[in-house]
Amino acid sequence: MFENHSHNFVYSPVARLLHWLILGLVCAQFIIGWTMPDVHRDTLPTGAIAWHLSVGAAIVAVMVIRIFWRVTHVPEPAKLSPMLTFASRATHLLLYIVLLAVPLTGWANASARGWTVRLLGTLPFPGLAQKGSSLGMELGGVHSVLAWVLFTLIALHIAAALFHRLVLRDSVLQRML
Ligand code: HEM
Ligand code: HEM
């Protein structure tokens, strides 16, 4: 009864662009992350690893813009049952948190290894941890685990979008198209 009324609102073109841009960057980042050579103490940040750092820096930059945009342009909530409203809000909030936590732990790990993270291969980011920092080194393991958490959240999110489109047959998916 609630679901059929969410037909007017569409995310702004900027919000939609940022959403789909992050999808592209994050897909590329998972492919690079899972196919690049294993990182050891004496590994140099070249080849696929250099790509992982560059794409990662772009994700950090786009997420900062995206969060700024989201806070200054609050979307109209979809008209859903209280349970679905709670589930979607919780998943979206978790997606934002993990989308920041994954790049930040990777960045701290890169800094601890003495690697400089650069945006588009040029603009250097400041170090997030001191070279050799044991916390920074441990965050590499946290990064790998959190990447799986992000993967699971994205799978859940895509399943929810399809559920809206195919089962509930409401217009939630259209809000982001
Ligand atoms: C959403 C963004 C990101 C995703 C999905 C992602 C994903 C991954 C994945 C899947 C791995 C391999 C883990 C494994 O072999 O078990 C990895 C490793 C790594 N990533 Fe990322 N990453 C992201 C952002 C970043 C950023 C921004 C940086 C640095 C600026 C970074 C630096 C690293 C480093 C240094 C490793 C090696 C960690 C280690 O083996 O100790 N990542 N990442
Ligand atoms: C095929 C892939 C995807 C589809 C079909 C999709 C669809 C959607 C839709 C329809 C919404 C709006 C939901 C609403 O109005 O309540 C949305 C929002 C959102 N999506 Fe996706 N999405 C996809 C991939 C992704 C990925 C890969 C990420 C993260 C890496 C992501 C993160 C988000 C976030 C954080 C929101 C909340 C937006 C806000 O209100 O601030 N999505 N998505």
Side-chain angles (χ1 to χ4, degrees):
M1 66 184 256
F2 293 97
E3 281 81 6
N4 291 327
H5 300 291
S6 46
H7 45 71
N8 293 326
F9 177 84
V10 175
Y11 279 84
S12 69
V14 176
R16 281 179 281 149
L17 175 78
L18 292 169
H19 176 267
W20 297 112
L21 185 61
I22 286 288
L23 166 87
L25 288 170
V26 167
C27 280
Q29 192 68 331
F30 272 115
I31 295 170
I32 302 169
W34 278 324
T35 56
M36 69 190 187
D38 282 349
V39 175
H40 302 290
R41 276 197 176 270
D42 48 1
T43 305
L44 292 174
T46 53
I49 298 175
W51 275 103
H52 193 73
L53 301 185
S54 280
V55 174
I59 292 175
V60 172
V62 177
M63 278 312 293
V64 169
I65 299 170
R66 183 168 177 192
I67 289 172
F68 174 78
W69 187 267
R70 177 63 171 78
V71 170
T72 52
H73 300 77
V74 177
E76 192 179 293
K79 294 183 184 62
L80 301 172
S81 64
M83 207 189 77
L84 281 186
T85 300
F86 173 77
S88 72
R89 287 206 176 152
T91 315
H92 293 163
L93 182 65
L94 274 175
L95 272 169
Y96 280 115
I97 292 171
V98 179
L99 269 172
L100 275 180
V102 172
L104 290 180
T105 49
W107 178 2
N109 182 249
S111 304
R113 293 178 186 281
W115 301 347
T116 305
V117 176
R118 289 173 191 277
L119 184 61
L120 305 174
T122 49
L123 183 76
F125 279 16
L128 270 198
Q130 270 185 344
K131 191 174 175 185
S133 132
S134 56
L135 174 65
M137 292 307 278
E138 275 164 30
L139 287 178
V142 177
H143 179 71
S144 307
V145 172
L146 281 183
W148 275 108
V149 174
L150 178 60
F151 188 84
T152 309
L153 282 172
I154 291 173
L156 196 68
H157 177 68
I158 295 175
L162 291 177
F163 183 72
H164 280 284
R165 184 76 190 90
L166 303 174
V167 179
L168 299 177
R169 293 172 186 271
D170 60 21
S171 14
V172 165
L173 179 57
Q174 276 75 0
R175 286 159 56 90
M176 201 45 102
L177 296 182

